[in-house]
Amino acid sequence: MDTKVVKFGGTSLADAFQFKKVADIIKSDPQRRFVVPSAPGNRFSNDIKITDMLYKTYELASKGEDITDIFEQIKNRYNDIIKELALNISLDIEFVKIKNGIINKAGRDYAASRGEYLSGLILADYLKFPFIDSAEIVFFNNNGTFDAEFTNKIMSEKLKNYEKAVIPGFYGVMPNGTIKTFPRNGSDITGAVVSRAAGASVYENWTDMSGLLMADPRIVKDPKPIDIITYREMRELSYMGAQVLHQDSIFPVRIAKIPINIKNTNNPSANGTFIVHHTEVISENVITGIAGRKSFVVITLEKDMMNAEIGFVKRVLEVFEKYNINFEHLPTGIDTLSIIINEQDGETYKDILFKELQAKANPDSIEYQKSLSLIAVVGRGMIRTKGTAARVFRAIADADVNVRMIDQGSSELNIIIGVNDNDFEKAMQAIYNAFA
Ligand code: ASP
């Protein structure tokens, strides 16, 4: 039987009502064998996530302040879930241990991790699945980095003995036995790590959205969800600011070529988004998504016969390297070279860059333009579809937006367009409308 690993985010487990939905989802498919829960998240817009309350509790305790009130609130949230689910367990002993641990400085990560730990205990009881403490199977090195290979070895051995299990997200253990967490939203990482160790056929990541969207909904009105996206497309979009899964949570499943399916706990029948290694399926929209970021600077060097001068680009880039400035793009003409960097670096190093570029590369002129936005139009379908670029530029022109820069990667997976910061939103909407 194929194995599915299912990870549920905080809003999917915010209260008893959500726990019920989660249990229904798990029980509706026997392949959903390994379950990775987050800590209870927000129930309503001004609510506070359990993880944030635990960080706060730790902060108060480390200043020697009383944590009785806040800890009671945390207990109540879990006890309400237990009561409403009519479960026969009591977490009282756990609460005492955790409170003492926090007061006795077991660590900030220990405090935060207890959100997932308790949520896992409740879910395991409700589902009648065994509970595996992540501290037994997720390992960090002494320097705090995640030990991916050792974890995979121990975890895959362990999981062989289990038909089903609940494994709390977000934390693991250091060689000295202290609890260590992944970065915020790290249950996604645990889900991916478990998927790899279990040899899952799919990693289902359940959230409160029916998948990734073609564009940022704060900029583009009602963007459509993406059905299928490749890891490489997702990397392009996330680099350009799209809020998708964190790279760390993709890596373990990416190397194992396990697809991720982003699903909606509040609308389980929606297909959601599949994130895959490779697909022959081309979106009917041709493009997969658009993303962009504001506030870049273009530094353009012009020099007669530049293209015949060996080592020119190298000398220019060495100047940027010296000041540890990352460049985003490097469009070139025959006698011009433009370097695109973020505006903060540009403003900080402008004078010194001019001086050094002049000294090292001796260009005829150097120009500095700020307030550039970059928009990435990403789609594996672009290689095979004629006229994509024409559609992008027609849409931008019709919206009366001036294109300041164009860069198409040789992979033809994306087209990058530079526009004025003032035109950013307008251009994004226009491009989206042309394809969606
Ligand atoms: N509960 C943790 C957080 O709020 C981890 C997670 O939810 O993924 O960051």
mmCIF file of all heavy atoms in Angstrom, residues 364-404:
data_model
loop_
_atom_site.group_PDB
_atom_site.id
_atom_site.type_symbol
_atom_site.label_atom_id
_atom_site.label_comp_id
_atom_site.label_asym_id
_atom_site.label_seq_id
_atom_site.Cartn_x
_atom_site.Cartn_y
_atom_site.Cartn_z
ATOM 1 N N ASP A 364 33.352 54.359 -19.940
ATOM 2 C CA ASP A 364 33.141 55.732 -20.431
ATOM 3 C C ASP A 364 32.106 56.449 -19.566
ATOM 4 O O ASP A 364 32.168 57.652 -19.368
ATOM 5 C CB ASP A 364 32.648 55.713 -21.887
ATOM 6 C CG ASP A 364 33.678 55.064 -22.799
ATOM 7 O OD1 ASP A 364 34.868 55.073 -22.416
ATOM 8 O OD2 ASP A 364 33.290 54.530 -23.860
ATOM 9 N N SER A 365 31.121 55.684 -19.088
ATOM 10 C CA SER A 365 30.124 56.317 -18.203
ATOM 11 C C SER A 365 29.539 55.279 -17.249
ATOM 12 O O SER A 365 29.557 54.079 -17.531
ATOM 13 C CB SER A 365 28.987 56.920 -19.034
ATOM 14 O OG SER A 365 28.238 55.880 -19.618
ATOM 15 N N ILE A 366 29.070 55.790 -16.124
ATOM 16 C CA ILE A 366 28.353 54.921 -15.174
ATOM 17 C C ILE A 366 27.040 55.624 -14.838
ATOM 18 O O ILE A 366 27.031 56.815 -14.522
ATOM 19 C CB ILE A 366 29.122 54.717 -13.846
ATOM 20 C CG1 ILE A 366 30.562 54.275 -14.084
ATOM 21 C CG2 ILE A 366 28.395 53.725 -12.958
ATOM 22 C CD1 ILE A 366 31.358 54.055 -12.802
ATOM 23 N N GLU A 367 25.978 54.886 -14.932
ATOM 24 C CA GLU A 367 24.671 55.478 -14.634
ATOM 25 C C GLU A 367 24.033 54.716 -13.479
ATOM 26 O O GLU A 367 24.201 53.492 -13.382
ATOM 27 C CB GLU A 367 23.792 55.310 -15.869
ATOM 28 C CG GLU A 367 22.783 56.424 -16.049
ATOM 29 C CD GLU A 367 21.938 56.129 -17.272
ATOM 30 O OE1 GLU A 367 22.505 56.102 -18.390
ATOM 31 O OE2 GLU A 367 20.741 55.882 -17.079
ATOM 32 N N TYR A 368 23.320 55.431 -12.634
ATOM 33 C CA TYR A 368 22.694 54.804 -11.453
ATOM 34 C C TYR A 368 21.216 55.155 -11.452
ATOM 35 O O TYR A 368 20.859 56.324 -11.423
ATOM 36 C CB TYR A 368 23.392 55.367 -10.209
ATOM 37 C CG TYR A 368 22.889 54.873 -8.871
ATOM 38 C CD1 TYR A 368 23.521 53.829 -8.211
ATOM 39 C CD2 TYR A 368 21.796 55.475 -8.249
ATOM 40 C CE1 TYR A 368 23.085 53.395 -6.971
ATOM 41 C CE2 TYR A 368 21.351 55.041 -7.012
ATOM 42 C CZ TYR A 368 21.999 54.000 -6.373
ATOM 43 O OH TYR A 368 21.570 53.571 -5.141
ATOM 44 N N GLN A 369 20.361 54.133 -11.547
ATOM 45 C CA GLN A 369 18.909 54.414 -11.527
ATOM 46 C C GLN A 369 18.273 53.585 -10.437
ATOM 47 O O GLN A 369 18.489 52.373 -10.363
ATOM 48 C CB GLN A 369 18.278 53.991 -12.850
ATOM 49 C CG GLN A 369 18.703 54.825 -14.034
ATOM 50 C CD GLN A 369 18.206 54.153 -15.297
ATOM 51 O OE1 GLN A 369 18.652 53.067 -15.638
ATOM 52 N NE2 GLN A 369 17.267 54.784 -15.968
ATOM 53 N N LYS A 370 17.435 54.246 -9.610
ATOM 54 C CA LYS A 370 16.812 53.469 -8.540
ATOM 55 C C LYS A 370 15.322 53.256 -8.798
ATOM 56 O O LYS A 370 14.831 53.531 -9.882
ATOM 57 C CB LYS A 370 17.071 54.094 -7.174
ATOM 58 C CG LYS A 370 16.822 55.578 -7.068
ATOM 59 C CD LYS A 370 17.363 56.073 -5.764
ATOM 60 C CE LYS A 370 16.180 56.250 -4.810
ATOM 61 N NZ LYS A 370 16.551 56.838 -3.539
ATOM 62 N N SER A 371 14.626 52.725 -7.794
ATOM 63 C CA SER A 371 13.169 52.485 -7.844
ATOM 64 C C SER A 371 12.756 51.558 -8.977
ATOM 65 O O SER A 371 11.787 51.821 -9.692
ATOM 66 C CB SER A 371 12.391 53.800 -7.966
ATOM 67 O OG SER A 371 12.778 54.675 -6.967
ATOM 68 N N LEU A 372 13.502 50.498 -9.145
ATOM 69 C CA LEU A 372 13.143 49.517 -10.162
ATOM 70 C C LEU A 372 12.453 48.330 -9.478
ATOM 71 O O LEU A 372 12.918 47.841 -8.453
ATOM 72 C CB LEU A 372 14.410 49.027 -10.867
ATOM 73 C CG LEU A 372 14.197 47.942 -11.916
ATOM 74 C CD1 LEU A 372 13.784 48.562 -13.253
ATOM 75 C CD2 LEU A 372 15.466 47.104 -12.106
ATOM 76 N N SER A 373 11.345 47.895 -10.068
ATOM 77 C CA SER A 373 10.697 46.664 -9.599
ATOM 78 C C SER A 373 11.008 45.562 -10.586
ATOM 79 O O SER A 373 11.072 45.803 -11.792
ATOM 80 C CB SER A 373 9.175 46.828 -9.575
ATOM 81 O OG SER A 373 8.777 47.687 -8.562
ATOM 82 N N LEU A 374 11.171 44.358 -10.077
ATOM 83 C CA LEU A 374 11.385 43.214 -10.964
ATOM 84 C C LEU A 374 10.169 42.291 -10.879
ATOM 85 O O LEU A 374 9.687 41.986 -9.790
ATOM 86 C CB LEU A 374 12.633 42.439 -10.547
ATOM 87 C CG LEU A 374 13.960 43.179 -10.695
ATOM 88 C CD1 LEU A 374 15.104 42.289 -10.209
ATOM 89 C CD2 LEU A 374 14.206 43.583 -12.152
ATOM 90 N N ILE A 375 9.704 41.873 -12.030
ATOM 91 C CA ILE A 375 8.562 40.948 -12.074
ATOM 92 C C ILE A 375 9.014 39.696 -12.818
ATOM 93 O O ILE A 375 9.566 39.789 -13.915
ATOM 94 C CB ILE A 375 7.370 41.585 -12.820
ATOM 95 C CG1 ILE A 375 6.914 42.843 -12.070
ATOM 96 C CG2 ILE A 375 6.225 40.581 -12.969
ATOM 97 C CD1 ILE A 375 5.805 43.607 -12.780
ATOM 98 N N ALA A 376 8.792 38.534 -12.209
ATOM 99 C CA ALA A 376 9.142 37.275 -12.875
ATOM 100 C C ALA A 376 7.866 36.608 -13.361
ATOM 101 O O ALA A 376 6.937 36.373 -12.586
ATOM 102 C CB ALA A 376 9.871 36.350 -11.910
ATOM 103 N N VAL A 377 7.817 36.346 -14.650
ATOM 104 C CA VAL A 377 6.705 35.591 -15.221
ATOM 105 C C VAL A 377 7.254 34.182 -15.427
ATOM 106 O O VAL A 377 8.196 34.000 -16.197
ATOM 107 C CB VAL A 377 6.268 36.195 -16.569
ATOM 108 C CG1 VAL A 377 5.064 35.456 -17.127
ATOM 109 C CG2 VAL A 377 5.971 37.679 -16.418
ATOM 110 N N VAL A 378 6.709 33.225 -14.696
ATOM 111 C CA VAL A 378 7.320 31.894 -14.651
ATOM 112 C C VAL A 378 6.384 30.850 -15.263
ATOM 113 O O VAL A 378 5.183 30.856 -14.992
ATOM 114 C CB VAL A 378 7.616 31.511 -13.179
ATOM 115 C CG1 VAL A 378 8.161 30.090 -13.078
ATOM 116 C CG2 VAL A 378 8.597 32.497 -12.565
ATOM 117 N N GLY A 379 6.947 29.978 -16.080
ATOM 118 C CA GLY A 379 6.101 28.908 -16.633
ATOM 119 C C GLY A 379 6.901 27.935 -17.472
ATOM 120 O O GLY A 379 7.588 28.341 -18.411
ATOM 121 N N ARG A 380 6.801 26.658 -17.126
ATOM 122 C CA ARG A 380 7.506 25.635 -17.916
ATOM 123 C C ARG A 380 6.913 25.561 -19.313
ATOM 124 O O ARG A 380 7.548 25.075 -20.240
ATOM 125 C CB ARG A 380 7.430 24.272 -17.216
ATOM 126 C CG ARG A 380 6.001 23.814 -17.003
ATOM 127 C CD ARG A 380 5.850 22.635 -16.093
ATOM 128 N NE ARG A 380 4.435 22.281 -15.964
ATOM 129 C CZ ARG A 380 3.567 22.856 -15.152
ATOM 130 N NH1 ARG A 380 3.971 23.825 -14.353
ATOM 131 N NH2 ARG A 380 2.308 22.492 -15.120
ATOM 132 N N GLY A 381 5.684 26.060 -19.478
ATOM 133 C CA GLY A 381 5.020 25.993 -20.770
ATOM 134 C C GLY A 381 5.552 27.002 -21.772
ATOM 135 O O GLY A 381 5.259 26.928 -22.970
ATOM 136 N N MET A 382 6.370 27.939 -21.300
ATOM 137 C CA MET A 382 6.822 29.014 -22.203
ATOM 138 C C MET A 382 7.721 28.502 -23.307
ATOM 139 O O MET A 382 7.736 29.042 -24.396
ATOM 140 C CB MET A 382 7.547 30.091 -21.401
ATOM 141 C CG MET A 382 6.599 30.783 -20.476
ATOM 142 S SD MET A 382 7.139 32.341 -19.785
ATOM 143 C CE MET A 382 8.683 32.077 -19.167
ATOM 144 N N ILE A 383 8.471 27.431 -23.027
ATOM 145 C CA ILE A 383 9.415 26.908 -24.019
ATOM 146 C C ILE A 383 8.658 26.492 -25.281
ATOM 147 O O ILE A 383 9.125 26.671 -26.387
ATOM 148 C CB ILE A 383 10.163 25.665 -23.485
ATOM 149 C CG1 ILE A 383 10.773 25.959 -22.137
ATOM 150 C CG2 ILE A 383 11.200 25.176 -24.479
ATOM 151 C CD1 ILE A 383 11.454 24.760 -21.498
ATOM 152 N N ARG A 384 7.473 25.905 -25.050
ATOM 153 C CA ARG A 384 6.784 25.300 -26.188
ATOM 154 C C ARG A 384 5.709 26.186 -26.785
ATOM 155 O O ARG A 384 5.081 25.826 -27.761
ATOM 156 C CB ARG A 384 6.120 24.005 -25.726
ATOM 157 C CG ARG A 384 7.157 23.008 -25.323
ATOM 158 C CD ARG A 384 6.523 21.672 -25.146
ATOM 159 N NE ARG A 384 7.185 20.991 -24.045
ATOM 160 C CZ ARG A 384 6.650 20.035 -23.325
ATOM 161 N NH1 ARG A 384 5.437 19.635 -23.583
ATOM 162 N NH2 ARG A 384 7.328 19.475 -22.368
ATOM 163 N N THR A 385 5.438 27.312 -26.145
ATOM 164 C CA THR A 385 4.333 28.115 -26.645
ATOM 165 C C THR A 385 4.861 29.385 -27.291
ATOM 166 O O THR A 385 5.556 30.168 -26.642
ATOM 167 C CB THR A 385 3.388 28.496 -25.476
ATOM 168 O OG1 THR A 385 3.293 27.366 -24.628
ATOM 169 C CG2 THR A 385 2.037 28.909 -25.969
ATOM 170 N N LYS A 386 4.511 29.555 -28.538
ATOM 171 C CA LYS A 386 4.970 30.758 -29.243
ATOM 172 C C LYS A 386 4.212 31.971 -28.729
ATOM 173 O O LYS A 386 3.044 31.880 -28.367
ATOM 174 C CB LYS A 386 4.687 30.608 -30.732
ATOM 175 C CG LYS A 386 5.661 29.692 -31.408
ATOM 176 C CD LYS A 386 5.471 29.728 -32.920
ATOM 177 C CE LYS A 386 6.114 28.508 -33.513
ATOM 178 N NZ LYS A 386 5.258 27.761 -34.401
ATOM 179 N N GLY A 387 4.880 33.093 -28.743
ATOM 180 C CA GLY A 387 4.176 34.349 -28.502
ATOM 181 C C GLY A 387 3.973 34.718 -27.050
ATOM 182 O O GLY A 387 3.294 35.687 -26.748
ATOM 183 N N THR A 388 4.579 33.959 -26.128
ATOM 184 C CA THR A 388 4.366 34.281 -24.708
ATOM 185 C C THR A 388 4.929 35.659 -24.373
ATOM 186 O O THR A 388 4.265 36.481 -23.743
ATOM 187 C CB THR A 388 5.044 33.230 -23.801
ATOM 188 O OG1 THR A 388 4.689 31.952 -24.276
ATOM 189 C CG2 THR A 388 4.617 33.387 -22.361
ATOM 190 N N ALA A 389 6.172 35.888 -24.822
ATOM 191 C CA ALA A 389 6.792 37.177 -24.523
ATOM 192 C C ALA A 389 5.960 38.307 -25.129
ATOM 193 O O ALA A 389 5.723 39.340 -24.490
ATOM 194 C CB ALA A 389 8.217 37.214 -25.070
ATOM 195 N N ALA A 390 5.477 38.080 -26.339
ATOM 196 C CA ALA A 390 4.679 39.118 -26.999
ATOM 197 C C ALA A 390 3.435 39.436 -26.161
ATOM 198 O O ALA A 390 3.073 40.609 -25.987
ATOM 199 C CB ALA A 390 4.262 38.644 -28.392
ATOM 200 N N ARG A 391 2.824 38.408 -25.610
ATOM 201 C CA ARG A 391 1.628 38.644 -24.792
ATOM 202 C C ARG A 391 1.957 39.441 -23.533
ATOM 203 O O ARG A 391 1.210 40.330 -23.126
ATOM 204 C CB ARG A 391 1.010 37.303 -24.370
ATOM 205 C CG ARG A 391 0.015 36.789 -25.373
ATOM 206 C CD ARG A 391 -0.313 35.347 -25.092
ATOM 207 N NE ARG A 391 -1.394 35.179 -24.134
ATOM 208 C CZ ARG A 391 -1.808 33.973 -23.708
ATOM 209 N NH1 ARG A 391 -1.224 32.875 -24.157
ATOM 210 N NH2 ARG A 391 -2.802 33.876 -22.857
ATOM 211 N N VAL A 392 3.108 39.103 -22.931
ATOM 212 C CA VAL A 392 3.506 39.822 -21.712
ATOM 213 C C VAL A 392 3.696 41.304 -22.031
ATOM 214 O O VAL A 392 3.152 42.192 -21.361
ATOM 215 C CB VAL A 392 4.831 39.242 -21.133
ATOM 216 C CG1 VAL A 392 5.341 40.103 -19.996
ATOM 217 C CG2 VAL A 392 4.649 37.793 -20.697
ATOM 218 N N PHE A 393 4.446 41.576 -23.124
ATOM 219 C CA PHE A 393 4.786 42.975 -23.406
ATOM 220 C C PHE A 393 3.595 43.761 -23.941
ATOM 221 O O PHE A 393 3.457 44.951 -23.668
ATOM 222 C CB PHE A 393 6.007 43.043 -24.324
ATOM 223 C CG PHE A 393 7.218 42.511 -23.613
ATOM 224 C CD1 PHE A 393 7.836 41.341 -24.019
ATOM 225 C CD2 PHE A 393 7.700 43.160 -22.478
ATOM 226 C CE1 PHE A 393 8.915 40.831 -23.323
ATOM 227 C CE2 PHE A 393 8.787 42.659 -21.778
ATOM 228 C CZ PHE A 393 9.392 41.489 -22.192
ATOM 229 N N ARG A 394 2.707 43.091 -24.666
ATOM 230 C CA ARG A 394 1.483 43.747 -25.140
ATOM 231 C C ARG A 394 0.654 44.191 -23.919
ATOM 232 O O ARG A 394 0.188 45.306 -23.824
ATOM 233 C CB ARG A 394 0.698 42.765 -26.037
ATOM 234 C CG ARG A 394 -0.724 43.052 -26.361
ATOM 235 C CD ARG A 394 -1.017 44.196 -27.341
ATOM 236 N NE ARG A 394 -0.010 44.393 -28.364
ATOM 237 C CZ ARG A 394 0.527 45.572 -28.662
ATOM 238 N NH1 ARG A 394 0.156 46.675 -28.053
ATOM 239 N NH2 ARG A 394 1.430 45.674 -29.594
ATOM 240 N N ALA A 395 0.543 43.272 -22.934
ATOM 241 C CA ALA A 395 -0.262 43.579 -21.737
ATOM 242 C C ALA A 395 0.325 44.773 -20.994
ATOM 243 O O ALA A 395 -0.397 45.678 -20.556
ATOM 244 C CB ALA A 395 -0.302 42.361 -20.823
ATOM 245 N N ILE A 396 1.647 44.794 -20.899
ATOM 246 C CA ILE A 396 2.283 45.899 -20.167
ATOM 247 C C ILE A 396 2.110 47.211 -20.934
ATOM 248 O O ILE A 396 1.796 48.256 -20.351
ATOM 249 C CB ILE A 396 3.779 45.606 -19.936
ATOM 250 C CG1 ILE A 396 3.919 44.340 -19.100
ATOM 251 C CG2 ILE A 396 4.460 46.758 -19.226
ATOM 252 C CD1 ILE A 396 5.346 43.946 -18.813
ATOM 253 N N ALA A 397 2.271 47.139 -22.240
ATOM 254 C CA ALA A 397 2.127 48.366 -23.050
ATOM 255 C C ALA A 397 0.688 48.879 -22.975
ATOM 256 O O ALA A 397 0.445 50.079 -22.803
ATOM 257 C CB ALA A 397 2.511 48.071 -24.499
ATOM 258 N N ASP A 398 -0.280 47.961 -23.078
ATOM 259 C CA ASP A 398 -1.686 48.386 -23.013
ATOM 260 C C ASP A 398 -2.030 49.017 -21.667
ATOM 261 O O ASP A 398 -2.941 49.822 -21.552
ATOM 262 C CB ASP A 398 -2.623 47.193 -23.282
ATOM 263 C CG ASP A 398 -2.596 46.786 -24.761
ATOM 264 O OD1 ASP A 398 -2.030 47.561 -25.575
ATOM 265 O OD2 ASP A 398 -3.112 45.695 -25.088
ATOM 266 N N ALA A 399 -1.296 48.627 -20.647
ATOM 267 C CA ALA A 399 -1.547 49.222 -19.324
ATOM 268 C C ALA A 399 -0.770 50.529 -19.169
ATOM 269 O O ALA A 399 -0.733 51.107 -18.083
ATOM 270 C CB ALA A 399 -1.146 48.229 -18.240
ATOM 271 N N ASP A 400 -0.127 50.964 -20.253
ATOM 272 C CA ASP A 400 0.600 52.223 -20.267
ATOM 273 C C ASP A 400 1.797 52.218 -19.305
ATOM 274 O O ASP A 400 2.097 53.210 -18.648
ATOM 275 C CB ASP A 400 -0.377 53.366 -19.901
ATOM 276 C CG ASP A 400 0.096 54.680 -20.490
ATOM 277 O OD1 ASP A 400 0.913 54.644 -21.428
ATOM 278 O OD2 ASP A 400 -0.335 55.739 -19.980
ATOM 279 N N VAL A 401 2.435 51.071 -19.214
ATOM 280 C CA VAL A 401 3.597 50.943 -18.333
ATOM 281 C C VAL A 401 4.845 50.812 -19.197
ATOM 282 O O VAL A 401 4.862 50.087 -20.186
ATOM 283 C CB VAL A 401 3.448 49.700 -17.425
ATOM 284 C CG1 VAL A 401 4.758 49.405 -16.689
ATOM 285 C CG2 VAL A 401 2.312 49.897 -16.429
ATOM 286 N N ASN A 402 5.884 51.529 -18.790
ATOM 287 C CA ASN A 402 7.133 51.503 -19.528
ATOM 288 C C ASN A 402 8.021 50.364 -19.006
ATOM 289 O O ASN A 402 8.186 50.215 -17.803
ATOM 290 C CB ASN A 402 7.806 52.869 -19.312
ATOM 291 C CG ASN A 402 9.084 52.981 -20.072
ATOM 292 O OD1 ASN A 402 9.218 52.433 -21.168
ATOM 293 N ND2 ASN A 402 10.050 53.663 -19.482
ATOM 294 N N VAL A 403 8.573 49.572 -19.918
ATOM 295 C CA VAL A 403 9.472 48.494 -19.500
ATOM 296 C C VAL A 403 10.889 49.049 -19.430
ATOM 297 O O VAL A 403 11.407 49.576 -20.410
ATOM 298 C CB VAL A 403 9.424 47.322 -20.511
ATOM 299 C CG1 VAL A 403 10.459 46.260 -20.154
ATOM 300 C CG2 VAL A 403 8.043 46.712 -20.544
ATOM 301 N N ARG A 404 11.512 48.916 -18.274
ATOM 302 C CA ARG A 404 12.874 49.461 -18.127
ATOM 303 C C ARG A 404 13.950 48.417 -18.357
ATOM 304 O O ARG A 404 15.102 48.734 -18.593
ATOM 305 C CB ARG A 404 13.039 50.065 -16.729
ATOM 306 C CG ARG A 404 12.361 51.427 -16.620
ATOM 307 C CD ARG A 404 12.460 52.006 -15.231
ATOM 308 N NE ARG A 404 13.806 52.007 -14.692
ATOM 309 C CZ ARG A 404 14.102 52.367 -13.447
ATOM 310 N NH1 ARG A 404 13.147 52.752 -12.628
ATOM 311 N NH2 ARG A 404 15.336 52.339 -13.013
#
